[in-house]
Amino acid sequence: MKDISLHVLDIVQNSISAGASFIDIGVFEDTGENSFRVRIGDNGRGMSSEVIQKVTDPYYTSRTTRRVGLGIPLLKQNADQCEGCLIIESEQGKGTLIEAVFVHDHIDRPSLGDIAGVFVLLISANPEIRFRYAHIRDGKQYSIDTEEIKDAVGDIADIDQDIIRYLKQMIRENLEQTGVL
Amino acid sequence: MTKIKSLADLKNKKAELQSKIALREKSDKPEGRVLVKVAMATCGIASGSKEVMEYFMEELDKRNIDAIVRQTGCMGYCYAEPTIEVTVPGKEAVVFGYVDNKKADEIIEKYIRNHELVDGIIPVNYQTIENDKEE
């Protein structure tokens, strides 16, 4: 993956396949303790502890179209390379939480990338799922929620492409303005 | 272009655009619309399917083609990512491989608009791991 936003896009697909109706994406940067955390939580069907043991193995996959599953292993590899780690917590019937931790100024840490684009793509492609994105950097914070967008422009399923474009632009600017990027 | 700084601005913009949207006469029946599914699993994302999906969403709208763009999982053609599945109303779904923005433009103009076949179709009888096993 070129950047962290693409990892987010990829990991969120797991949440969607797990039947989640709410997906919470968080990026937490703390330059003081030199950490960069990406957290994806969902209320999908969750995994048993045996499955959690297996998901970081590239030769494990829940799908049937192919025999390898690289989403989580690639994220783990990237985090490990940056002297970080990957944490998975899951409870069957409740949901899953995945957190990738990176050393903030590690030379191999990928950039965050086009997170606004990823968020807007996710909400427009999955209008029935509620997404939330929160970004905190050294006490400054920004967040956006599908519910807020719905309040402003109505049902996501009938949203117009022009509005999508404006929304993307708005999130990008807000991220810069609040100083989290 | 006015800058949209908050959700309130976005709401105003929507009201402003409302008249224009009404003119486009989007049909209410989903079966009358072209359906484009972009494969968005690890293999697709790593090969650039995000850009391809954004391109389809923007271009189909710009060219006034009534279409729905959705994401789907891996279709088993990881070697040919990014792959997309296009369903033109009344026709069988067709899967295209190695779709970049240039290919996407060709698919929109030739296949979706004029129903001409273009290169890069992955035939449905192609062997996947699954049907290999069944034999």
Side-chain angles (χ1 to χ4, degrees), chain B residues 67-113:
Chain B
I68 312 173
V69 183
R70 287 283 178 268
Q71 53 178 50
T72 179
C74 176
M75 296 190 256
Y77 309 114
C78 307
Y79 66 94
E81 295 292 345
T83 55
I84 62 159
E85 186 191 275
V86 183
T87 317
V88 171
K91 289 188 163 224
E92 293 235 349
V94 175
V95 177
F96 295 91
Y98 304 108
V99 182
D100 53 9
N101 288 0
K102 203 172 142 228
K103 190 84 210 168
D105 174 65
E106 197 187 345
I107 292 169
I108 296 173
E109 283 309 312
K110 290 195 176 155
Y111 183 68
I112 298 180
R113 228 199 259 284

Side-chain angles (χ1 to χ4, degrees), chain A residues 1 10 13 16 64 66-67 71 114 124-126 152-153 160-162 166 168 170 173-174, chain B residues 3-6 11 13-14 20 24 40 42 45 50 53-54 57 61 70-71 74 78 129-130:
Chain A
M1 297 292 158
D10 189 16
Q13 304 306 318
I16 297 171
T64 49
R66 52 170 153 75
R67 287 189 191 136
D114 180 22
S124 53
N126 306 283
V153 296
D160 195 73
Q161 194 57 42
D162 290 316
Y166 285 120
K168 205 185 293 180
M170 184 196 89
E173 261 181 40
N174 287 172
Chain B
K3 287 221 163 160
I4 307 290
K5 289 190 176 135
S6 66
K11 196 173 179 176
K13 194 79 205 175
K14 193 189 171 180
K20 188 180 145 207
R24 283 196 196 149
M40 279 279 198
T42 311
I45 296 168
K50 173 175 165 276
M53 184 160 175
E54 285 175 332
M57 287 173 127
D61 181 68
R70 287 283 178 268
Q71 53 178 50
C74 176
C78 307
I129 296 170
E130 260 309 274

Side-chain angles (χ1 to χ4, degrees), chain A residues 34 76-86 101-109:
Chain A
N34 202 12
K76 181 173 160 50
Q77 183 189 35
N78 242 332
D80 287 346
Q81 253 169 13
C82 303
E83 293 167 46
C85 60
L86 186 78
V101 186
F102 302 83
V103 168
H104 200 289
D105 65 359
H106 198 284
I107 193 142
D108 288 325
R109 181 178 67 81

Side-chain angles (χ1 to χ4, degrees), chain A residues 9 116-127 156-165 167-168, chain B residues 24 26 33-38 40 49-72 84 99-101 104-105 108 112:
Chain A
L9 180 59
V118 165
F119 183 78
V120 170
L121 189 73
L122 283 172
I123 61 163
S124 53
N126 306 283
I156 310 280
D158 333 308
I159 223 168
D160 195 73
Q161 194 57 42
D162 290 316
I163 298 289
I164 301 264
R165 208 154 33 232
L167 182 65
K168 205 185 293 180
Chain B
R24 283 196 196 149
K26 284 210 167 140
R33 304 171 77 176
V34 176
L35 177 64
V36 178
K37 284 188 193 167
V38 183
M40 279 279 198
S49 59
K50 173 175 165 276
E51 280 73 23
V52 172
M53 184 160 175
E54 285 175 332
Y55 184 84
F56 268 105
M57 287 173 127
E58 296 228 343
E59 290 302 314
L60 289 167
D61 181 68
K62 264 190 214 156
R63 299 176 198 191
N64 261 323
I65 296 168
D66 193 10
I68 312 173
V69 183
R70 287 283 178 268
Q71 53 178 50
T72 179
I84 62 159
V99 182
D100 53 9
N101 288 0
D105 174 65
I108 296 173
I112 298 180

